Amino acid sequence: MSQLPEQNSEGPVPTSADVARLAGVSRATVSYVLNNNAEVRISDPTRRRVREAAAELGYVPHAAARSLRAGHSRMVLLPTGNVPAGPLHLRFLRELESGLRRLDYTVVQYGSLGLDADDAARAWAELRPVAVIVPGSVPLTPQGIAVLRRSGAKAVITLGPEPVEGAHALIMDQREVGGCAVRHLLERGRRRIGVVMPEEPGPALFAAPRLTGARQAATAFGALIEPLPLRYDEESAAALAARWPALALDAVFAHDDSYAMLLMRALKDAGIDMPAATAVVGADDSMLGRLLRPRLSSVRMELATVEPLADLVDRLVQHPRTQPERHDLLRARAVPRESS
């Protein structure tokens, strides 16, 4: 494991001129080496000497100055909002960040809560990102897209259930999650199915399309779909469980594994037998769900693209005049276990 050499925190900030003097090269050569410029031929010994000099002095390139010279940065900006940080979202971020780092981009997450659509776009544009990937919970308008493009953004990409006019779209169609869960329950002979609708703002982004998918799947069988508002707390779950006999439901799609586990505990405390009286399905296929008794049936979600996510972003950056593209990312399948 490499370690940075000890540096004196006092004194002037080292400059590229200092690195050039220590390495015995020009400032241009320092810039080429430390900015990974592959268009200029520089010998390996020279590159090594420059990097060693920079490490010895504790010098790092000034990102803002480099962006000013280039007119844009190598920054890919990810505005953050009320997006559920489930396993799929974390896998998306991990795959994207590692892939973009390999391509010499920097991924920066930016808090955007409390900003309206126009203010958010202007705030992102101030950072001069080369690309912006906007989640569906954060507002974006065609006017905001225009502001970003004028500031130097080569690619504006949305991530969510619906595209935005003028932007590339990474679609996670949450209807498939609800449809997949309900089709599994229908195959088990269930015909009166509750669908948990979280009352918290984060999961609400996914709740409505999952309910739509559930209803679409149930139509062909004439099955009942009953929306069930639920807060993520024990009191709300206990109140819902107390009404369960009157609801006369024989199954529930509980939005995701966390709400499923909350509701299962409350149903068990109310004496509801699972799965005999009520089958339960979650989503995310979490490890905790597999440790429950009965083990939780779930919907496993995976990312699927023709090309790796980072390569897709890089291609759109390299070809900024590309017409808006749509890529469907989400693949879902039911994982049956004891709870259904």
Side-chain angles (χ1 to χ4, degrees):
M1 178 174 154
S2 63
Q3 293 182 332
L4 292 173
E6 291 187 9
Q7 303 291 339
N8 187 347
S9 60
E10 303 297 329
V13 175
T15 67
S16 62
D18 299 326
V19 176
R21 278 193 296 272
L22 183 59
V25 299
S26 68
R27 291 184 67 179
T29 298
V30 171
S31 177
Y32 295 146
V33 172
L34 297 184
N35 291 324
N36 296 314
N37 190 322
E39 297 179 0
V40 179
R41 295 187 62 182
I42 299 173
S43 69
D44 288 342
T46 299
R47 290 182 180 274
R48 187 163 51 250
R49 196 161 67 248
V50 169
R51 295 187 186 284
E52 289 173 353
E56 181 177 335
L57 294 171
Y59 171 79
V60 293
H62 196 299
R66 181 171 57 186
S67 300
L68 186 62
R69 288 193 298 270
H72 60 80
S73 66
R74 295 288 290 177
M75 178 197 305
V76 176
L77 191 67
L78 266 66
T80 59
N82 281 319
V83 178
L88 186 70
H89 181 69
L90 296 177
R91 285 200 301 274
F92 171 83
L93 287 178
R94 188 164 54 243
E95 179 180 333
L96 184 67
E97 289 188 21
S98 62
L100 288 173
R101 171 57 62 187
R102 170 178 55 82
L103 296 171
D104 195 35
Y105 291 94
T106 299
V107 177
V108 175
Q109 295 191 42
Y110 187 99
S112 300
L113 291 176
L115 296 175
D116 64 26
D118 291 338
D119 288 340
R122 283 193 290 268
W124 307 334
E126 288 178 1
L127 299 177
R128 297 297 190 268
V130 72
V132 185
I133 303 176
V134 186
S137 62
V138 178
L140 180 66
T141 64
Q143 292 79 11
I145 295 171
V147 168
L148 289 166
R149 291 198 178 281
R150 285 197 298 269
S151 73
K154 306 295 184 183
V156 180
I157 304 164
T158 60
L159 172 68
E162 297 292 339
V164 175
E165 182 182 353
H168 303 291
L170 301 177
I171 300 295
M172 290 190 176
D173 190 349
Q174 298 294 323
R175 292 176 300 178
E176 179 58 23
V177 179
C180 187
V182 167
R183 285 192 294 272
H184 166 69
L185 292 169
L186 293 170
E187 290 169 0
R188 294 296 192 272
R190 311 292 172 149
R191 293 295 183 269
R192 298 182 58 82
I193 302 170
V195 176
V196 166
M197 301 293 289
E199 296 184 347
E200 288 73 23
L205 176 68
F206 295 164
R210 288 184 181 183
L211 176 62
T212 298
R215 284 174 167 156
Q216 290 172 343
T219 299
F221 290 80
L224 169 75
I225 295 294
E226 178 72 26
L228 303 171
L230 178 65
R231 294 190 314 277
Y232 193 68
D233 62 52
E234 292 177 293
E235 292 77 12
S236 182
L240 178 56
R243 296 193 296 117
W244 208 259
L247 292 170
L249 300 173
D250 60 12
V252 60
F253 166 48
H255 180 73
D256 67 13
D257 288 357
S258 60
Y259 284 88
M261 290 185 280
L262 173 69
L263 183 57
M264 285 176 69
R265 178 73 262 176
L267 292 175
K268 188 175 182 63
D269 289 346
I272 307 297
D273 188 10
M274 295 168 286
T278 299
V280 182
V281 177
D284 286 336
D285 193 26
S286 66
M287 176 61 74
L288 283 177
R290 296 174 225 169
L291 300 178
L292 285 182
R293 296 296 181 272
R295 292 179 177 87
L296 177 62
S297 298
S298 190
V299 176
R300 179 175 297 168
M301 293 172 283
E302 297 174 344
L303 297 172
T305 56
V306 174
E307 57 188 320
L309 285 169
D311 292 348
L312 170 62
V313 174
D314 182 55
R315 177 174 59 78
L316 296 176
V317 167
Q318 299 297 330
H319 300 88
R321 297 185 184 278
T322 302
Q323 289 297 309
E325 297 181 357
R326 173 183 174 130
H327 298 270
D328 293 303
L329 297 189
L330 191 61
R331 302 291 182 270
R333 64 182 179 88
V335 182
R337 296 193 182 94
E338 297 161 4
S339 70
S340 63

